[in-house]
Amino acid sequence: EVGAFIYEPLVQAAAGMRMYSSEILDRLMLEAKKKDVVCIADEVFTGFGRTGKMFASDYLTQEPDIVAISKGLTGGTMALGVTSCSERILAPFRSSEIERTFFHGHSYTANPIACAAGNASFELLLQEDCQRQIGVIERKHKMFREKLVDRATVEEVRQIGTILAIELKTTEKSSYFNKIRKEILPYFLSKNILLRPLGNVIYIVPPYVITTSELDQIYNCIEQFLLETGART
């Protein structure tokens, strides 16, 4: 009765940057494929280097049947999305019978300007400097994560690739509606840093062009916020 399994690989972003292992996802996908269920990877957030590899699906043994990508496709400069699919999905449409035609297309399909931006962004992403910078961000995130794991005000620190999430320990349960969210955004804006929280989760997903000094500034401000939060609680 199940037609498709749709998932964000390794990181459930809007849910609070919740992370899970590739081994678990591989097992889920294997079970789905045994029952001929179509596996659809939502790589809109995780794609184009965010998890340390080009796609989060690259950490897996099982391969998705369909992949949805956007955001990093143009580096955020223009709106563009792509749906990629395997031969298994495409094969039924390879027919001269009109009943098998895929009668669908968006009004802005293959917009030339957006596609040009996507090509330019992809060329930049593949350059050695950009790939090196992704590694630098990942290493600095790991070092900062180690500094926070034993903090009394921190429930959990999660990190993969250039994504770092700090779940704060509060008197309320962890949720999108945790009241501390009202403190986080204005605090960091006052420091000229834009960190939009997901409830009681502070997350850093920096642009690849960020400098090490800018990252250190963010880390220092987070530590200061944790100290001030701890003093109040």
Side-chain angles (χ1 to χ4, degrees), residues 11 23-24 54 74 87 100 109 175 184 191:
V11 184
E23 290 79 11
I24 289 174
M54 184 61 73
T74 65
E87 181 60 29
R100 294 197 173 194
T109 292
S175 82
I184 296 171
K191 311 291 185 182

Side-chain angles (χ1 to χ4, degrees), residues 27 30 52 87-88 107 112 120 124 129 153 161 174 178 194 200 221 226:
R27 287 173 59 190
L30 184 60
E87 181 60 29
R88 174 196 176 196
S107 300
L124 290 171
D129 286 347
T153 50
S174 292
N178 191 296
L194 178 60
N200 59 312
C221 283
L226 293 176

Side-chain angles (χ1 to χ4, degrees), residues 45-80:
F45 173 72
T46 55
F48 300 101
R50 276 289 162 215
T51 62
K53 296 195 177 189
M54 184 61 73
F55 294 100
S57 296
D58 293 337
Y59 285 94
L60 305 171
T61 301
Q62 301 296 319
E63 294 184 352
D65 299 296
I66 297 174
V67 181
I69 54 178
S70 187
K71 286 184 179 175
L73 184 60
T74 65
T77 58
M78 294 199 72
L80 182 65

Side-chain angles (χ1 to χ4, degrees), residues 184-186 188-189 193-197 202-205 218 222:
I184 296 171
L185 182 60
F188 287 98
L189 282 178
I193 298 171
L194 178 60
L195 285 182
R196 184 179 66 87
I202 297 174
Y203 69 96
I204 311 173
V205 187
I218 294 171
I222 290 175

Side-chain angles (χ1 to χ4, degrees), residues 15 119 123 140 153 181 214 227:
N119 285 335
E123 288 177 9
K140 286 189 69 66
T153 50
R181 66 186 171 83
E214 288 168 339
L227 287 172

Side-chain angles (χ1 to χ4, degrees), residues 86-147:
S86 65
E87 181 60 29
R88 174 196 176 196
I89 302 300
L90 187 60
F93 300 102
R94 294 190 185 279
S95 173
S96 59
E97 299 176 20
I98 193 169
E99 292 84 0
R100 294 197 173 194
T101 302
F102 186 60
F103 285 111
H104 178 76
H106 293 290
S107 300
Y108 291 98
T109 292
N111 178 279
I113 298 176
C115 289
N119 285 335
S121 178
F122 194 62
E123 288 177 9
L124 290 171
L125 178 67
L126 294 181
Q127 288 182 5
E128 187 176 336
D129 286 347
C130 186
Q131 292 299 307
R132 186 186 304 112
Q133 181 70 358
I134 290 172
V136 169
I137 296 169
E138 182 174 7
R139 288 190 295 274
K140 286 189 69 66
H141 275 358
K142 286 179 179 178
M143 288 189 291
F144 187 55
R145 180 188 67 191
E146 292 303 313
K147 292 181 66 177

